[in-house]
Amino acid sequence: MMEEEELEFVEELEAVLQLTPDVQLAIEQVFPSQDPLDRADFNAVEYINTLFPTEQSLANIDEVVNKIRLKIRRLDDNIRTVVRGQTNVGQDGRQALEEAQKAIQQLFGKIKDIKDKAEKSEQMVKEITRDIKQLDHAKRHLTTSITTLNHLHMLAGGVDSLEAMTRRRQYGEVANLLQGVMNVLEHFHKYMGIPQIRQLSERVKAAQTELGQQILADFEEAFPSQGTKRPGGPSNVLRDACLVANILDPRIKQEIIKKFIKQHLSEYLVLFQENQDVAWLDKIDRRYAWIKRQLVDYEEKYGRMFPREWYMTERIAVEFCHVTRAELAKIMRTRAKEIEVKLLLFAIQRTTNFEGFLAKRFSGCTLTDGTLKKLECPPPSTNPFLEDEPAPEMEELTMEKGDLDQPKKPKAPDNPFHGIVSKCFEPHLYVYIESQDKNLGELIDRFVADFKAQGPPKPNTEEGGAVLPSCADLFVYYKKCMVQCSQLSTGEPMIALTTIFQKYLREYAWKILSGNLPKTTSSSGGLTISSLLKEKEGSEVAKFTLEELCLICGILSTAEYCLATTQQLEEKLKEKVDVSLIERINLTGEMDTFSTVISSSIQLLVQDLDAACDPALTAMSKMQWQNVEHVGDQSPYVTSVILHIKQNVPIIRDNLASTRKYFTQFCIKFANSFIPKFITHLFKCKPISMVGAEQLLLDTHSLKMVLLDLPSIGSQVVRKAPASYTKIVVKGMTRAEMILKVVMAPHEPLVVFVDNYIKLLTDCNTETFQKILDMKGLKRSEQSSMLELLRQRLPTPPSGPEGSSSLSLLAPTPEQESSRIRKLEKLIKKRL
């Protein structure tokens, strides 16, 4: 039983002493030891075996047991000491905690004492400063009371003085006193509930009303509505009265100004009544001369009577303008049938001159009070069509052609008085528009007559194309009309003028440019460009003369100038017209018309040179190429083509030097026309021997080099041809060379020949292949097997639209399909 109890105790002890690996590792790091008894995995059996490895070692068992017992006693002593030492630790901790709590209580008591002392100090300071604050409030209230009493004394005394001075008409003293009284009265707005203050305020208002009525009566007496002005002229009393009116209700000032101006212009309404001769447009100068004299007279007599900030001189001029505009509008409605263009322009010119005079003399600051609003200044323009605006006087404009291309300086701000009188002429500008329509029609007719009388322009001996002088005259006249009309109105009349411009731009393009393009002698009537391509083979081709080539180039250069200038004209018109009407200005149709003239001119030049080369190409296709025995220099037909090119191209280039891009277009169009035609005639050369093919290859290379040099042929200055043109020539002529190389290749073995064809010609198809076989002189029976082999060797076309199009090129023709079906039927019948 004892042994069992000991075993259970040991097991319980081991369970209690079982530590986690982390704790065990920490203990080993803090207390490193090599003793097996300190290890966590201690095994008693292994330890005893270590102490007694053999039976002989058991002789020392007593000594080992004594050592272990000694070690156990030491461990017990150490444990006992530690346990006893920890017995007093709890008591020490409690004692330290109690001491800390006592210290905190003492600290709290001290803080409370400090706070109590601070509150007592604050209360003491408040008691000390309470009397000072009371004194400050008393001082502030006393100061306010004294100030208010002073203001009240000043107000009462001022109201009394104001009423007395008003009765004595001492306006000079009233002007200063009234302003002071009104300023003082502003301080009493919050005291209006006091009857005495309200009474003083009512007395001030009554004095102001009395002053206003009295001043109006004085002005009515000095300047009665009927009769003449007072002979003594303006008095100092009225001058001081104006100063008082500045302080009173603004309506008093407006009434004085209105009555004075009305009385000042009463004579004008009598002198220029509608039934008077001087009232008509031909004597409009007298109106403006009269107001100028009146302004000078006013400055001499009344310039010092009215304050400068009233701008009385400008107000008189502005009211004169309003009255004049109304009177002129009324008389022009009555006598509208008598208005002629010259008379209308004369009146507008004199009126705009007068408006310019007003702009130089006055700032226009009073216009905001009237019915006319100041015009907004548009932003500065950078349009190259623009140039310095003419003076307000509509003088005759003299412009050179190059003036339209000069840069425009920023536009000066508009005249604030523009239209203040001349606006009345706008409803009658249809007379001006109709006149310009008639003048432009006559101008176009004169251009046509001059062209017929002078004939086409002389050949150009200097570099640069000759632009017809009539186009510069047309646009100079356009600008003159545009400037005149924009000074008259920027509304609907500008739209009407734009319509007239469009009409005669089209007429100029049709009658002067298209109508004078040379016509071929092969056409019985009218210009039939297609007839140039229908010359019979071997017939004499009618070429354009040197003068006709220069004329075509001149018309092309003129159309190019008109195209660029029309675009600038459109931009200029959009700047001149009102913003709301900009969308209605569109000269795109006219620019397209000039573009059509340019295209027609280029096409004529191309077809002329193309037709000149046709006989040479026809001669090439009729040569017996199978009989050529040796390869020599270039063939005569090549020499003929080169001769025509050297005759035409230098003339065209020199006359289109100012429009280089259109000369490039001419070269590109000629290459696109000549090269396919050359390849077409090349297919007609059949049959061809090996030597004949070599000669044709040499000729093709010669033509290729000439075409590459076409833009600078015959020129002392050699320029590199444009890349776009070079690409077209190289691609087209290389195809012709590849065709001839296929012709030169032996047709046996068939597979090699077909593969060579597919390799050399990227756009290979059965139609071209059959033409090449015809050039080689092969029979149809031989061709059929080669065509079948080609269809088999051709790559499968891709799916989609491109594939279907290429498939359609490779598919056999209906004739070929029917031939194959007949052969198949014969073969079946034979077998049956």
Side-chain angles (χ1 to χ4, degrees), residues 30 55 103 215 314 365 419 442 469 503 566 577:
V30 177
E55 293 180 0
I215 290 172
E314 181 175 332
C365 60
E442 294 175 353
K503 173 184 175 182
T566 301
V577 79

Side-chain angles (χ1 to χ4, degrees), residues 45 147 178 225 228 253 299 464 569 675 721 723 767:
V45 177
T147 304
L178 179 60
S225 300
T228 58
K253 169 185 171 183
E299 291 289 347
L569 175 64
I675 294 175
E767 184 180 358

Side-chain angles (χ1 to χ4, degrees), residues 214 261 313 333 381 399 491 517 553 589 617 636 645 708 768 777 828:
Q214 187 171 297
I261 294 177
T313 308
R333 283 196 301 269
S381 173
M399 295 171 50
L517 284 174
C553 294
L617 297 180
I645 290 175
L708 288 174
T768 304
I828 294 173

Side-chain angles (χ1 to χ4, degrees), residues 152 155 185 188-203:
L152 181 59
L155 180 62
L185 188 60
F188 290 94
H189 283 167
K190 55 185 176 181
Y191 304 117
M192 286 300 172
I194 302 174
Q196 290 81 0
I197 302 298
R198 186 167 59 251
Q199 183 180 3
L200 287 174
S201 176
E202 292 173 354
R203 288 176 62 188

Side-chain angles (χ1 to χ4, degrees), residues 281 324-330 332 351 419-428:
L281 300 180
T324 302
R325 185 175 73 238
E327 292 295 319
L328 288 176
K330 182 169 63 174
M332 283 192 292
T351 302
I420 191 171
V421 178
S422 57
K423 200 76 174 177
C424 65
F425 298 110
E426 185 169 333
H428 305 278

Side-chain angles (χ1 to χ4, degrees), residues 490-492 495 498 502 570-571 573-588:
T490 57
E492 288 295 335
I495 301 298
T498 302
Q502 291 175 300
E570 181 184 35
E571 295 173 0
L573 286 169
K574 288 182 178 180
E575 293 179 5
K576 291 289 186 181
V577 79
D578 291 340
V579 177
S580 59
L581 302 176
I582 287 179
E583 296 298 330
R584 295 175 59 183
I585 294 181
N586 186 2
L587 303 184
T588 305

Side-chain angles (χ1 to χ4, degrees), residues 146-243:
I146 293 174
T147 304
T148 304
L149 287 174
N150 285 335
H151 286 164
L152 181 59
H153 176 71
M154 293 169 59
L155 180 62
V159 171
D160 293 338
S161 301
L162 182 62
E163 292 174 345
M165 292 177 182
T166 300
R167 288 191 294 271
R168 293 194 297 270
R169 284 184 167 77
Q170 296 176 349
Y171 295 129
E173 291 79 1
V174 168
N176 297 325
L177 180 60
L178 179 60
Q179 186 63 52
V181 168
M182 293 178 66
N183 292 337
V184 172
L185 188 60
E186 290 179 358
H187 295 284
F188 290 94
H189 283 167
K190 55 185 176 181
Y191 304 117
M192 286 300 172
I194 302 174
Q196 290 81 0
I197 302 298
R198 186 167 59 251
Q199 183 180 3
L200 287 174
S201 176
E202 292 173 354
R203 288 176 62 188
V204 172
K205 291 180 181 179
Q208 289 178 328
T209 304
E210 183 181 356
L211 275 172
Q213 295 174 352
Q214 187 171 297
I215 290 172
L216 289 177
D218 291 345
F219 270 93
E220 181 66 27
E221 181 182 354
F223 305 103
S225 300
Q226 62 275 3
T228 58
K229 308 180 187 64
R230 196 168 63 182
S235 64
N236 293 332
V237 174
L238 294 181
R239 182 183 63 188
D240 295 338
C242 291
L243 299 178

Side-chain angles (χ1 to χ4, degrees), residues 423-446:
K423 200 76 174 177
C424 65
F425 298 110
E426 185 169 333
H428 305 278
L429 286 180
Y430 67 89
V431 178
Y432 172 77
I433 301 298
E434 292 174 356
S435 172
Q436 296 308 321
D437 189 3
K438 179 181 177 182
N439 293 341
L440 283 169
E442 294 175 353
L443 187 65
I444 295 295
D445 293 339
R446 180 167 63 83

